[in-house]
Amino acid sequence: MTSDAADDDGILQANLKRVFSERDASLRIAAIRDLYSPDAVLYEPDSIKAGYDAISQAVEDLLASLPPAFVFSPLGPAVGHHGLARLRWRAGPPDGPVVVTGTDVARIEAGRIASLHVFIDPPDA
């Protein structure tokens, strides 16, 4: 790992908690402005969104489609090197079964997410 591995972990852990698990739109957009570059791009399996507002709306749409108690949790620390990092995660009710797992892969520039690719694991992975 490089010396920025701790920063990679902190950034991706914060993204999972402060962006993808945040249902308050004003707190979420503040976190996006803190964690993402202004021209950041979010790549999801079925869409591509660019910029703070579009990324926030994509997360809003995702969270609106999930039960209110649904949360995203990391599966260990993020690992990265040379500007790329990945974080494995799971999602579901806080005390319930895991409903979905996946991996976020980010390109990090100057301590901020420049792009985020979201990979969803197949149901029986």
Side-chain angles (χ1 to χ4, degrees):
M1 283 195 242
T2 63
S3 61
D4 62 355
D7 292 340
D8 294 342
D9 183 52
I11 291 165
L12 288 180
Q13 297 275 352
N15 182 59
L16 198 63
K17 181 177 181 180
R18 295 178 54 208
V19 175
F20 280 86
S21 293
E22 181 56 66
R23 292 184 181 268
D24 181 307
S26 63
L27 293 175
R28 185 176 51 252
I29 194 72
I32 290 169
R33 291 178 188 282
D34 185 40
L35 296 169
Y36 286 74
S37 300
D39 57 350
V41 180
L42 171 64
Y43 296 93
E44 293 182 300
D46 297 324
S47 69
I48 299 171
K49 304 294 183 194
Y52 296 145
D53 292 334
I55 292 169
S56 184
Q57 187 61 54
V59 176
E60 178 75 24
D61 295 344
L62 170 66
L63 293 175
S65 74
L66 302 173
F70 208 87
V71 295
F72 292 86
S73 304
L75 290 169
V79 295
H81 59 85
H82 298 95
L84 289 177
R86 68 135 172 96
L87 176 68
R88 295 181 59 238
W89 51 263
R90 65 178 171 229
D95 298 321
V98 173
V99 176
V100 63
T101 59
T103 304
D104 290 345
V105 177
R107 183 170 45 90
I108 299 174
E109 296 176 352
R112 298 172 93 187
I113 297 170
S115 65
L116 181 71
H117 295 255
V118 178
F119 294 89
I120 308 295
D121 293 332
D124 47 348

